[in-house]
Structures are given as C-alpha cells and as structure tokens.
Amino acid sequence: SGRSASRPADVLRGLGAVLALTVRSCPGALAARVATVVIAGTAPVAASWLLRYVVDSLTAQGLRASDLNWAAAGIGLFTVLLAASSALSSYADGRIRRATSTRAQSELLTAVNRLSGLSKLEQPAFHDRVQLAVQSAQGAERLVGAALQGAQSLLTLAGFLTSLLLVSPTLAAVLVVAAVPALFAHLANSRHRADMFWRTSSLARRQ
C-alpha cells in the first residue's frame, strides 16, 4: 500500500531528525560515541590479525622473542581500547539520553507556547501528535544507539569479511551465501515488529 511504501522514507526522515537533534544537543558526546564505534568495530579485526601473526611465528623456524613482543603489546593495547570504549560508550549514551530529552522537550514546549488561541490545543489529534513527540524525544537516544550499533556491526563484518577474502576467497563466498537466508529472515522479523509497533502506537498514545 501507499502507507507501507512510505514507511522507509518516514524512518529515514525520522532518523535524520533524531541525528540533527543529537548534534544540536550534545555534539561532543556524539563524537565520542562515533569514536567508540570505530574502535569497537575495527579493534577485533586488528587483534585477530596480530593473533594470526603470533600463531604463524610460533610455528615458523628461527623464532625470536622480540618478533612477538610488539604483537603481544598490540593485542594488549586493543584489549584495553575495547574495554575503554565500552565504558566511554555507556557514559556517552547517558549524556545523549539526558541532553536530547531535555532539548527536545524544551523545543516542543517553546513551539506549543507560540500557538495563538486555544482551538488547536482542544483538538484530540493535536494532543496525539504532542504525546507522540514527547515519546519520540524520550526514545531518541535508543534510536541513535541502534543506528550506531548497526554501523559498528557492519564495520566489524566488513573487516572480517575482507580478512577472510584475503585468506580464502572460496570460504568467504560460502559464508556469504550461507548468511543470506539468515539476513532476509532477520529483515522480515524486523519488518513485522515495526508493523506491529506502527499498528499499536496510536492506541498506546491515547492511553
């Protein structure tokens, strides 16, 4: 239907609005959160390459301990970075949650106070939209977090897939083909959940 076809565009517009709200509210926390995504998305791939180097060095002839020192130090560094990025991401998520909620409610109340007359305030549809805006503001941090988590997963997946292509293109192709059905099943499940939320959200806002 036309409404179903417009939902992806509505989601993209909503995501863009939430990101713009986050940039206005706490650009520093958002930048820190993006940095944690890059670290958490690339560190496992880099650590796996260092671990592969260690294993290959242990089985090679003429092993020198100095050859493994920098690799072990690199693995330790990436482990520390992962732990630090996890703590930083939790802190940044809290900052984003508080800042976006406060900024969105402030902008919403400012817009409502600019209305002239009481006729619009007495309309149930207008109350429905205001309540939806309040709920959306409260969930802005979750939407930003979900988008960043998806970007992190894609970054890690691309890194491991590239590594696998360098090691064994055939095995990489087999894994990609095997993952396609799971991907479509996940997308279908997400679409069904989104449709259910779309149908029930109007009822929930009226409670």
Side-chain angles (χ1 to χ4, degrees), residues 135-149:
Q135 292 177 355
S136 300
Q138 294 173 350
E141 177 267 335
R142 290 192 297 270
L143 183 57
V144 173
L148 292 175
Q149 188 64 37

Side-chain angles (χ1 to χ4, degrees), residues 144-164:
V144 173
L148 292 175
Q149 188 64 37
Q152 176 182 321
S153 299
L154 287 176
L155 189 60
T156 303
L157 179 61
F160 278 117
L161 184 59
T162 302
S163 301
L164 191 57

Side-chain angles (χ1 to χ4, degrees), residues 157 161 164-165 168-182:
L157 179 61
L161 184 59
L164 191 57
L165 282 171
S168 175
T170 303
L171 182 58
V174 171
L175 289 178
V176 169
V177 172
V180 168

Side-chain angles (χ1 to χ4, degrees), residues 24 32 43 52 67 79 108 111 119 162 165 183:
R24 294 196 305 271
R52 179 177 181 268
D67 293 336
T79 303
L108 176 63
S119 59
T162 302
L165 282 171
L183 175 62

Side-chain angles (χ1 to χ4, degrees), residues 14-111:
L15 181 59
V18 168
L19 289 176
L21 172 65
T22 306
V23 170
R24 294 196 305 271
S25 305
C26 47
L30 181 60
R33 190 65 178 87
V34 171
T36 63
V37 166
V38 175
I39 293 173
T42 58
V45 180
S48 67
W49 275 100
L50 289 177
L51 183 60
R52 179 177 181 268
Y53 173 80
V54 170
V55 173
D56 291 342
S57 298
L58 290 174
T59 58
Q61 301 244 348
L63 173 64
R64 293 182 304 175
S66 59
D67 293 336
L68 302 180
N69 288 338
W70 69 270
I75 293 175
L77 175 62
F78 286 128
T79 303
V80 171
L81 285 176
L82 283 174
S85 67
S86 177
L88 181 58
S89 65
S90 298
Y91 171 76
D93 285 340
R95 287 287 305 273
I96 291 173
R97 179 173 60 254
R98 293 188 294 270
T100 53
S101 179
T102 302
R103 180 66 178 259
Q105 292 188 33
S106 175
E107 292 181 356
L108 176 63
L109 292 177
T110 301

